[in-house]
Amino acid sequence: MGLDLLYIVLVVVWIIAGTSYLRWHPFFVLLISALGLAFLLQIPLEEIPETISSGFGAMFKNIGLLILFGAWIGVALETTNATTAIAKGIIKKLTILPLPFVISALGYLVSIPVFCDAAFVILAPLTKKLALNNTARRNALTVALSTGLFSAHVLVPPTPGPLAAAGNLQLENLYLLLLAGGIFGLVLMLIGACFSFYFFRKSNQQDAFDHNNLQNYFDQDTDLPSFSEAIWPLALPILLMAAASIIPLFFEGSNLFIDILLFLGDPAIALLAGVLVAFSICKKQQQEISEIIKKGMAQAAPILLITAMGGALGTVIQTANLTDGINLESFSNGLGLAIPFLLAALLKSAQGSSTVAIITISSIMLPLLPALGFYSEMGKVWVIMAIGAGSLTVSHANDSYFWIVSQLGEMPVKEAYRKHTLGTLLQGVVGFVILFCAYSLYSAF
């Protein structure tokens, strides 16, 4: 076990060096990692190609369509200005709340179908408009947006990281992750919102909304779909998966209705339904669906390749002996959640990519699940949430998202460290403490 663990540590160091210092593409770094680890673990030479190929193909099979469909929904929402319509609807419905909480909630929801960096580009002008030319207010709202976007990005499917973790940990009930990850992501969003609200109050500006200012901003877009129309591509897949998980519990045996419901509630079919609804909005606005398909495929392809190669690395790691000779019983009372959290936080802070951190650490955790007591479906979800909290701890200069936030948010680098980086640190650490307490209560019943 000792040598196998050392080899995996060396691979993690290589991933950090390859992505952060050599600036190589994560796909190539993960490929070398899988090959190198296979040699170090003394997998027979003739079995190495099959081991890597099977892991690559299995991950692609499990989540390939989900990532592609999610990308198509996101691109369609961007192209039709549905994201702006969702933003307008949320802000109008939540005006009773302080502005940073509204912006965080907006980021949380929009980041589910749209990658957080692209979503920040879309929504950053809104925070500037609401800042009323006050720098402190703008910085606070920028952090509210960045932390809100980040909280869903690392926890809520169909974003690639949580999907990859579900595939690596062989989670079958994706709706369970969607529900639990969505709730925990909401908690992380509230932590970021509270942090930004602290700075917002110090801006010495009135907390209330300027409705005329908001109306003028949104009136610049005259071809927005309605809020109910814009939200359906997101709501329909969630409703279908929820119905397929809950309604069959009230029926005994199988019948045609249950079979159809289970078919429609399959994650791939549910997301495909969301794609069709999103495409119908595109058709209504006379947008070229073929261009949206091409753009979505171009957006999803790098993520698919990185995720699938992470699956290949995970398959190689599964051949390692990580549990013999080490006593993990002391970690089976909930402290075991600290292992994926700390590993993900270390890798995230060292190399910058949350997705790479999630993929790598979830691959390492699979062989450890039985010894840590997390091998059930819910146990795997707890581990994925711990990895998610770690993978946003912290965002700093080696993270491309850090530079997007600082540049588009017009924050000096020093200020971005004080607000955005510290905000992600609080989200991760406080979030993990809350997660640990929640698991302790869960285990007591």
Side-chain angles (χ1 to χ4, degrees), residues 128-435:
K128 294 178 185 178
K129 189 72 175 178
L130 297 175
L132 304 176
N133 296 318
N134 182 287
T135 301
R137 183 183 174 103
R138 185 192 66 225
N139 290 343
L141 294 180
T142 296
V143 173
L145 178 60
S146 69
T147 53
L149 290 167
F150 220 179
S151 59
H153 177 73
V154 298
L155 285 167
V156 186
T159 49
L163 285 178
N168 282 335
L169 295 180
Q170 300 174 4
L171 178 71
E172 296 180 0
N173 192 341
L174 191 61
Y175 175 71
L176 191 60
L177 175 60
L178 181 64
L179 178 62
I183 294 173
F184 185 48
L186 188 63
V187 172
L188 296 185
M189 180 271 289
L190 290 173
I191 295 171
C194 290
F195 177 70
S196 61
F197 182 63
Y198 168 76
F199 293 105
F200 184 82
R201 292 187 63 183
K202 294 175 65 176
S203 66
N204 296 320
Q205 286 273 345
Q206 187 179 359
D207 186 21
F209 284 91
D210 184 338
H211 291 277
N212 293 329
N213 192 25
L214 277 174
Q215 194 61 44
N216 292 335
Y217 175 81
F218 285 118
D219 285 346
Q220 296 174 10
D221 298 298
T222 58
D223 58 345
L224 293 180
S226 65
F227 176 79
S228 58
E229 184 180 24
I231 202 68
W232 261 111
L234 302 180
L236 182 59
I238 295 174
L239 292 174
L240 288 174
M241 286 189 283
S245 297
I246 297 172
I247 293 179
L249 299 176
F250 300 95
F251 292 85
E252 293 185 2
S254 178
N255 56 57
L256 181 60
F257 169 72
I258 296 298
D259 291 342
I260 294 175
L261 185 63
L262 292 176
F263 169 75
L264 294 176
D266 179 85
I269 301 300
L271 278 174
L272 178 59
V275 169
L276 295 177
V277 174
F279 283 177
S280 69
I281 301 175
C282 298
K283 194 71 175 177
K284 185 176 180 180
Q285 294 190 5
Q286 298 181 340
Q287 300 285 349
E288 284 290 337
I289 294 179
S290 60
E291 290 299 316
I292 293 172
I293 291 176
K294 290 179 183 178
K295 187 175 179 181
M297 292 176 67
Q299 192 178 89
I303 300 296
L304 283 170
L305 290 174
I306 295 170
T307 303
M309 188 48 65
L313 175 60
T315 301
V316 175
I317 290 175
Q318 289 175 37
T319 66
N321 188 353
L322 299 178
T323 56
D324 286 352
I326 184 171
N327 183 13
L328 293 175
E329 291 183 1
S330 58
F331 291 97
S332 60
N333 59 354
L335 290 176
L337 287 177
I339 296 176
F341 170 76
L342 292 174
L343 289 176
L346 175 64
L347 188 55
K348 161 65 179 177
S349 299
Q351 54 82 39
S353 171
S354 296
T355 302
V356 171
I358 293 172
I359 292 171
T360 304
I361 302 307
S362 59
S363 299
I364 293 173
M365 288 304 300
L366 179 61
L368 301 177
L369 292 180
L372 293 173
F374 293 116
Y375 202 65
S376 67
E377 288 289 283
M378 191 61 209
K380 295 173 183 178
V381 171
W382 285 110
V383 171
I384 293 172
M385 289 191 290
I387 294 173
S391 68
L392 56 77
T393 315
V394 295
S395 174
H396 61 100
N398 64 356
D399 182 4
S400 61
Y401 186 55
F402 172 87
W403 295 107
I404 291 174
V405 171
S406 63
Q407 297 303 308
L408 294 182
E410 300 179 5
M411 297 174 65
V413 174
K414 183 178 180 180
E415 191 71 10
Y417 272 114
R418 289 182 60 243
K419 291 186 169 61
H420 172 73
T421 300
L422 183 57
T424 59
L425 175 63
L426 286 175
Q427 279 186 298
V429 174
V430 177
F432 176 73
V433 171
I434 294 173
L435 183 70

Side-chain angles (χ1 to χ4, degrees), residues 1-18 29 33 36-38 40-41 313 316-317 320-322 326 339 343 346-347 350-351 360-361 363-365 368:
M1 185 282 300
L3 278 178
D4 287 1
L5 184 59
L6 176 61
Y7 295 151
I8 292 176
V9 170
L10 290 175
V11 166
V12 172
V13 172
W14 157 246
I15 292 173
I16 294 171
V29 173
S33 301
L37 185 60
L40 291 173
L41 294 175
L313 175 60
V316 175
I317 290 175
N321 188 353
L322 299 178
I326 184 171
I339 296 176
L343 289 176
L346 175 64
L347 188 55
Q351 54 82 39
T360 304
I361 302 307
S363 299
I364 293 173
M365 288 304 300
L368 301 177

